[in-house]
Amino acid sequence: MGPERRGGLTPELDAAARRIAEHARGYGLDFWEVCFELLDHDELNEVAAYGGFPTRYPHWKFGMEYEQLAKGYTYGLQKIYELVINHDPCYAYLMKSNSLVDQKLVMAHVCGHADFFKNNLWFAHTNRKMIDEMANHGARIRRYAEKFGHEEVERFVDACLSLENLIDIHSPFIKRRAAKQDDDEPRRPVPRKLRAKDYMDRFINPPEFMDQQRAALQADIERSKNFPEHPERDVLLFLLEHAPLERWQRDVLSMVREEAYYFAPQAMTKIMNEGWASYWHSKIMTEKVLGDDEVIDYADHHAGTLATRPGNLNPYKLGIELFRDIEERWDRGMFGSAWEECDDLARKRTWDLKLGRGREKIFEVRRIYNDVLFVDEFLTEDFARRQKLFTFEYSKQSDDWVIASREFKAIKEKLLFQLTNWGNPVIEVQSGNWENRGELYLYHRPDGHDLDLEQARDTLRNIQLVWNRPAHLETTLEKRRKVLTYNGRKHSDRAL
């Protein structure tokens, strides 16, 4: 592998980047070449607003995100230290105004991300040349805007973007639809014939009449079929295949869906990805890179990265601590039946089988887990107690957020709920021909939490815009089943 290419780096930064990449590979990290770009704060905010892809299509959403980032930087509320994208080669952006120790910290952090992108299985199906694909999407949407009108295209893009989380995040790994076999072809319906001699058959059972009967029977069969045959979790795919869209609209929806699937693994592995990158920037900086005069600045900025505000979950902190805990447990043999069955607390505190398998284990975990599996498998009661984890809720009495529970089961369940499907409700298409009227019927799988009614109605309105027929959503509100409906003019709901 050749040396990492870097755009606009000073000789000092270029040398630091090469040295850090060498150290990272020395620890066993495996990543594509990293292309660092040096930008000022305004340029970096612009790139960040586009999700790391400045060639994306124009949309007010990105402008709004840019304004938020720019104001946060101006008022000292936030500052982007690193921005890295899943790509081959891996692109990463550095802010010019950062100090040298910050730049080195970011470079080491980026090496961790680049290794994670390349080797974690949940990224295996992502497009590793997405910069080119994003540029292609941008060019196509700009052409549509010129041809059909900016307002018309933007209105449709708005609707599609509001639905971008209605995908099946596991579909790249699970075959949801059975392959159609030759012998699965439906048999043609046979209408009932009157008995007649062969030479009289065409008079007693006229071919034209028999064809009409056959068509009527086929129509009855089609009406009786479930459409789709099984609930469809990829709502965007169902709309792509069956909504009455213009060609340009179908193309726009397909682009939004493709980008949603590209970004999905990043949402599914936020804790692991940031924890892995933080683990390695800490290891590389403290063991290989830091000079004596940089220790205090590094410690201050590293502590700031891992700091957790009250009532918030810091993925950097939770991720790095879980990786460190896994490494220690597998180094000391603190797993398996012997460990689980031991009820001697004093012995457990000094438990050390000297297995030395910690490093091997964390690389294995990095390869095959996502956040839900990671937390479910490795967040133990001992870990929750040491990290002082708890659940919280809003108290009307004190008008503040208060601790609701320190019970491990409640902590883990709430965390897993927040991570499952990114905390979004699971919506399925139940029927695309509801009551034989061509209407769309969606079902919200109950998870113990009610939908936000205002957001549900906004989403339903945008689904109806794409489907171009009334749309219904069955859900549970206040423990009662209801169906929300939008017919293109007004909202309504009814109890079941």
Side-chain angles (χ1 to χ4, degrees):
M1 180 179 293
E4 278 68 19
R5 301 193 308 270
R6 300 165 182 88
L9 297 190
T10 65
E12 185 178 27
L13 287 178
D14 185 69
R18 294 179 187 278
R19 187 169 67 255
I20 288 169
E22 184 179 345
H23 290 316
R25 291 195 174 95
Y27 280 112
L29 300 185
D30 173 31
F31 46 90
W32 296 297
E33 51 179 338
V34 179
C35 301
F36 287 105
E37 299 287 339
L38 197 60
L39 306 176
D40 62 34
H41 71 275
D42 199 50
E43 293 170 327
L44 189 54
N45 287 336
E46 182 179 348
V47 173
Y50 281 101
F53 296 92
T55 57
R56 293 181 82 177
Y57 52 86
H59 190 262
W60 61 264
K61 167 190 171 184
F62 304 130
M64 181 179 66
E65 291 179 1
Y66 169 79
E67 287 296 325
Q68 184 177 4
L69 291 170
K71 287 180 179 178
Y73 179 83
T74 300
Y75 293 112
L77 301 176
Q78 63 189 26
K79 178 180 177 181
I80 298 174
Y81 279 93
E82 54 92 13
L83 179 62
V84 56
I85 62 173
N86 166 34
H87 200 270
D88 177 15
C90 189
Y91 287 93
Y93 303 94
L94 306 175
M95 186 177 289
K96 289 180 180 178
S97 59
N98 284 346
S99 66
L100 179 59
V101 67
D102 283 340
Q103 304 289 31
K104 291 193 287 189
L105 185 155
V106 168
M107 290 172 180
H109 194 85
V110 164
C111 288
H113 279 311
D115 172 84
F116 195 90
F117 289 144
K118 181 179 179 181
N119 296 286
N120 182 267
L121 291 178
W122 297 92
F123 287 85
H125 293 278
T126 57
N127 185 350
R128 306 298 191 171
K129 301 294 181 183
M130 200 61 180
I131 284 182
D132 297 334
E133 189 69 6
M134 290 283 195
N136 184 284
H137 290 177
R140 281 149 60 189
I141 289 182
R142 287 181 179 92
R143 284 200 302 270
Y144 293 143
E146 292 174 1
K147 184 175 181 179
F148 301 105
H150 290 271
E151 290 186 4
E152 177 69 16
V153 172
E154 186 171 88
R155 175 170 169 264
F156 189 75
V157 171
D158 286 348
C160 294
L161 287 176
S162 74
L163 309 176
E164 64 181 346
N165 63 337
L166 298 181
I167 59 175
D168 183 358
I169 59 177
H170 296 112
S171 63
F173 308 92
I174 300 175
K175 194 172 184 179
R176 300 285 192 191
R177 300 177 178 180
K180 194 172 184 179
Q181 305 294 329
D182 293 339
D183 57 1
D184 288 340
E185 290 293 330
R187 296 179 180 178
R188 298 187 65 188
V190 179
R192 186 176 180 181
K193 298 174 65 174
L194 296 175
R195 296 180 62 184
K197 300 289 186 180
D198 290 345
Y199 66 90
M200 291 293 294
D201 185 68
R202 63 185 303 272
F203 298 102
I204 302 298
N205 302 293
E208 297 82 3
F209 176 76
M210 298 305 295
D211 289 340
Q212 291 175 2
Q213 291 292 96
R214 189 176 292 107
L217 288 173
Q218 183 64 43
D220 288 340
I221 291 172
E222 293 298 324
R223 280 194 294 270
S224 66
K225 276 185 178 180
N226 288 328
F227 169 54
E229 292 187 18
H230 305 285
E232 179 70 69
R233 286 188 61 174
D234 191 338
V235 178
L236 292 191
L237 178 60
F238 186 85
L239 294 175
L240 268 174
E241 293 177 339
H242 303 290
L245 300 172
E246 300 289 338
R247 181 177 297 179
W248 71 267
Q249 292 175 322
R250 200 174 306 280
D251 191 31
V252 168
L253 183 58
S254 72
M255 287 186 267
V256 170
R257 179 174 176 271
E258 181 182 355
E259 294 183 12
Y261 273 105
Y262 170 80
F263 287 113
Q266 297 182 38
M268 296 168 67
T269 60
K270 179 70 173 176
I271 293 173
M272 286 189 66
N273 203 340
E274 296 298 353
W276 185 252
S278 299
Y279 174 94
W280 286 109
H281 88 228
S282 175
K283 181 76 67 175
I284 293 168
M285 291 294 287
T286 57
E287 295 183 359
K288 301 291 185 180
V289 176
L290 276 180
D292 293 342
D293 58 338
E294 297 174 322
V295 171
I296 293 177
D297 285 340
Y298 163 77
D300 179 56
H301 296 165
H302 177 72
T305 301
L306 301 187
T308 302
R309 292 179 297 168
N312 287 272
L313 174 68
N314 184 339
Y316 296 79
K317 174 67 172 177
L318 180 58
I320 190 174
E321 294 298 348
L322 273 173
F323 274 116
R324 287 171 172 170
D325 187 61
I326 293 167
E327 184 175 31
E328 180 184 15
R329 288 171 58 198
W330 263 256
D331 275 342
R332 296 172 55 184
M334 300 164 64
F335 61 92
S337 58
W339 167 261
E340 297 293 339
E341 294 169 4
C342 178
D343 56 5
D344 186 339
L345 295 181
R347 186 184 173 198
K348 277 194 166 186
R349 279 194 293 269
T350 60
W351 188 289
D352 190 358
L353 304 182
K354 301 188 183 302
L355 298 183
R357 293 171 50 190
R359 184 66 56 84
E360 173 191 350
K361 184 63 179 180
I362 62 173
F363 272 93
E364 174 193 310
V365 170
R366 173 269 272 147
R367 187 174 72 256
I368 62 178
Y369 285 78
N370 62 27
D371 282 350
V372 172
L373 302 175
F374 184 58
V375 169
D376 190 39
E377 180 77 16
F378 299 109
L379 195 149
T380 63
E381 187 169 1
D382 288 339
F383 178 89
R385 188 180 300 110
R386 290 197 307 273
Q387 296 298 321
K388 300 179 180 179
L389 300 180
F390 54 84
T391 63
F392 58 92
E393 62 185 19
Y394 184 75
S395 169
K396 292 182 179 179
Q397 184 176 1
S398 62
D399 191 26
D400 200 359
W401 292 93
V402 298
I403 294 175
S405 174
R406 295 186 185 275
E407 184 184 354
F408 173 66
K409 183 180 179 181
I411 294 168
K412 194 165 185 176
E413 283 182 353
K414 185 166 186 177
L415 183 54
L416 288 172
F417 174 78
Q418 292 174 348
L419 296 174
T420 301
N421 202 41
W422 321 325
N424 293 321
V426 176
I427 307 293
E428 299 174 336
V429 177
Q430 292 278 10
S431 175
N433 188 27
W434 179 244
E435 295 185 343
N436 200 31
R437 296 198 299 254
E439 299 177 3
L440 190 64
Y441 194 92
L442 305 168
Y443 176 68
H444 167 221
R445 290 176 57 184
D447 53 19
H449 291 74
D450 290 351
L451 291 178
D452 183 296
L453 193 57
E454 183 177 353
Q455 292 185 15
R457 284 174 172 164
D458 288 343
T459 301
L460 199 58
R461 183 176 64 248
N462 288 321
I463 289 175
Q464 189 278 331
L465 185 149
V466 176
W467 188 249
N468 203 29
R469 293 283 298 161
H472 312 271
L473 173 62
E474 180 182 334
T475 185
T476 301
L477 295 171
E478 298 177 350
K479 298 183 179 180
R480 295 182 180 180
R481 292 172 62 204
K482 289 187 177 182
V483 176
L484 311 178
T485 297
Y486 184 70
N487 62 8
R489 299 183 305 276
K490 64 179 182 178
H491 290 280
S492 61
D493 60 83
R494 61 184 176 85
L496 290 179

